[in-house]
Amino acid sequence: MHRIAIVGGGTGGTVLANRLASELRTEIEDGEVEVRLITADPNHVYKPTFLYVPFGKKTVDDATRPIEELIDSRVTLTIDEVTDVNTDRNRLSLADRTTSLRYDQLVLATGATLEPEAVPGLAEGGHHFYGPDGAEALRDELAEFTEGHLVLSVVGVPHMCPAAPVEFTLMVDDWLRERGRRADVDITYTYPINRAHGLESIADWATDRFEERGIDVETFFNVDEIDPESEVVETVEGTELEYDLFVAIPPHRGSDLVADAGLGDDGWVDVDRHTLEATATEDVYAIGDAADVPTSKAGSVAHYEAGVVADRIASRARGQTPTATYDGKTVCFLEAGMDEATFIEFEYGEEPYVREPSKPLHWAKLGYNESYWLTARGLL
């Protein structure tokens, strides 16, 4: 039997498992192929939902579904933690098993982990919307925030959903205006390089939009330390910024599993950016946030990568030469406030074009968020 193992039940792992179940339907039913998805979390989380929680537009429960409801019945679902990847023996060790699992092809979809503790004072003095607890705490804080200085600071790069810091800043500006609070709240957006975003076209668009709305922008702003008592941010550059509400994009890191297996620094898997095969060993792929490729850590990236890897794995399972490649395709809706959005798409080596924001594009983003669960099931 040809055994395919997928580690991680996020967007990439779930879409891939369902794609393989469809592509290799006959081989699975004939007992020639096994597709196994291994995840420590029995729930699947759609993280973009958390952006809307601070504004009361969504709840954290809206972001989750039991993963067993999303996975094709032909996929063997294992709820367990992978504790070791032995690429020499093609074996996986699991926390709740005394025997290891063998694989012929392995896909690591281990995602990214927040690490606010990497910056002194950030866990105590900052808020974020990149997880359920953080999004709910920020919701409660915003509800009582009527005046002062709100700072949105991109502390760590790379990070999940690169558009989200710009989105939150524009959304909170609208949200405060709707409540008659904006005149009493100063907003500052900070970014660690010499422009407002890593992609130049988005940086230019966001800078113009911020200026129109009276939002201050600080670039070359690399957070070194937070003083929660005095409510001051200190930077590597030697500057200080006072705040009353500090919203951070925390540092992210990859999986210790990846680093311990010697597959990449900081837990990101070193891969060929077109085939998504690990450079350090054979029979191993990485997709989604776990893959160290020169494009966004976004759900659409994981989705497109999953399609490519499904084709390549299916070819190998049939004894054929894989030909599918990933071109860096990324698509992203970007909220431009509470009721308008724009849309971008690009590939490796391209600069995205930022469309004029509109209400229909905002509704399209909300529609996609609702239909995401069909996408995860492989139905869209």
Side-chain angles (χ1 to χ4, degrees):
M1 177 182 286
H2 190 88
R3 292 178 169 84
I4 302 163
I6 304 164
V7 180
T11 295
T14 300
V15 171
L16 174 60
N18 288 329
R19 286 286 296 267
L20 286 170
S22 177
E23 180 71 20
L24 295 170
R25 177 187 295 107
T26 301
E27 289 84 352
I28 294 171
E29 292 175 350
D30 290 345
E32 299 170 359
V33 170
E34 176 191 72
V35 176
R36 183 185 295 269
L37 176 65
I38 309 163
T39 176
D41 192 342
N43 290 315
H44 178 95
V45 180
Y46 181 51
K47 295 177 182 178
T49 301
F50 296 138
L51 173 65
Y52 299 89
V53 172
F55 306 107
K57 298 297 185 181
K58 290 288 185 180
T59 69
V60 296
D61 289 341
D62 293 327
T64 62
R65 297 283 189 281
I67 194 166
E68 63 181 7
E69 296 180 2
L70 305 177
I71 295 298
D72 190 290
S73 61
R74 289 177 288 263
V75 175
T76 301
L77 177 61
T78 300
I79 306 299
D80 203 347
E81 179 186 1
V82 176
T83 57
D84 182 68
V85 177
N86 188 325
T87 59
D88 292 329
R89 299 180 59 227
N90 285 30
R91 293 274 181 177
L92 302 175
S93 297
L94 278 64
D96 295 335
R97 293 191 178 215
T98 56
T99 58
S100 61
L101 293 176
R102 185 178 69 80
Y103 67 83
D104 294 290
Q105 297 188 78
L106 171 66
V107 183
L108 295 171
T110 46
T113 302
L114 302 182
E115 197 175 29
E117 299 81 8
V119 176
L122 180 57
E124 299 81 12
H127 291 271
H128 69 81
F129 52 87
Y130 269 63
D133 294 341
E136 287 187 326
L138 181 54
R139 177 198 61 200
D140 296 344
E141 191 73 20
L142 274 179
E144 303 296 328
F145 190 69
T146 58
E147 62 181 2
H149 187 197
L150 187 155
V151 176
L152 183 287
S153 187
V154 178
V155 178
V157 289
H159 59 79
M160 294 178 280
C161 195
V166 173
E167 290 183 290
F168 177 86
T169 304
L170 295 173
M171 290 170 73
V172 79
D173 172 79
D174 258 6
W175 190 85
L176 290 167
R177 290 177 190 275
E178 290 171 359
R179 284 154 182 77
R181 303 180 190 177
R182 182 64 175 90
D184 297 316
V185 175
D186 295 321
I187 301 176
T188 298
Y189 171 97
T190 83
Y191 204 75
I193 62 173
N194 65 339
R195 57 180 184 245
H197 194 272
L199 293 170
E200 187 172 0
S201 59
I202 295 179
D204 292 344
W205 176 84
T207 298
D208 290 343
R209 197 85 173 179
F210 290 159
E211 184 176 355
E212 291 171 4
R213 296 187 177 206
I215 297 168
D216 294 329
V217 178
E218 296 281 348
T219 58
F220 277 132
F221 192 95
N222 291 272
V223 175
D224 186 48
E225 185 174 353
I226 311 294
D227 186 336
E229 292 187 7
S230 61
E231 296 185 327
V232 172
V233 184
E234 299 178 8
T235 70
V236 173
E237 292 79 14
T239 61
E240 294 184 347
L241 185 65
E242 296 181 354
Y243 67 87
D244 296 289
L245 176 55
F246 187 71
V247 184
I249 309 304
H252 289 42
R253 63 177 176 83
S255 170
D256 292 339
L257 190 70
V258 169
D260 293 344
L263 296 173
D265 296 333
D266 300 322
W268 315 118
V269 184
D270 292 328
V271 296
D272 181 291
R273 69 176 185 169
H274 294 295
T275 67
L276 302 169
E277 294 174 295
T279 58
T281 190
E282 297 180 347
D283 306 318
V284 177
Y285 293 86
I287 60 174
D289 295 345
D292 191 5
V293 293
T295 190
S296 302
K297 292 189 181 299
S300 67
V301 171
H303 189 145
Y304 291 123
E305 290 174 338
V308 169
V309 171
D311 287 346
R312 295 187 67 85
I313 285 178
S315 294
R316 284 202 169 130
R318 294 171 177 145
Q320 301 167 352
T321 301
T323 58
T325 56
Y326 176 59
D327 57 11
K329 184 175 182 179
T330 305
V331 299
C332 182
F333 288 100
L334 195 160
E335 295 283 18
M338 295 303 295
D339 64 356
E340 284 190 335
T342 183
F343 178 79
I344 60 172
E345 57 184 326
F346 58 98
E347 299 177 357
Y348 288 143
E350 294 182 351
E351 189 69 32
Y353 169 72
V354 185
R355 294 164 173 79
E356 185 67 23
S358 68
K359 290 185 178 181
L361 283 174
H362 167 70
W363 298 333
K365 177 167 185 176
L366 297 184
Y368 177 78
N369 288 344
E370 293 298 323
S371 65
Y372 167 77
W373 303 108
L374 298 176
T375 300
R377 291 185 178 97
L379 300 178
L380 288 178

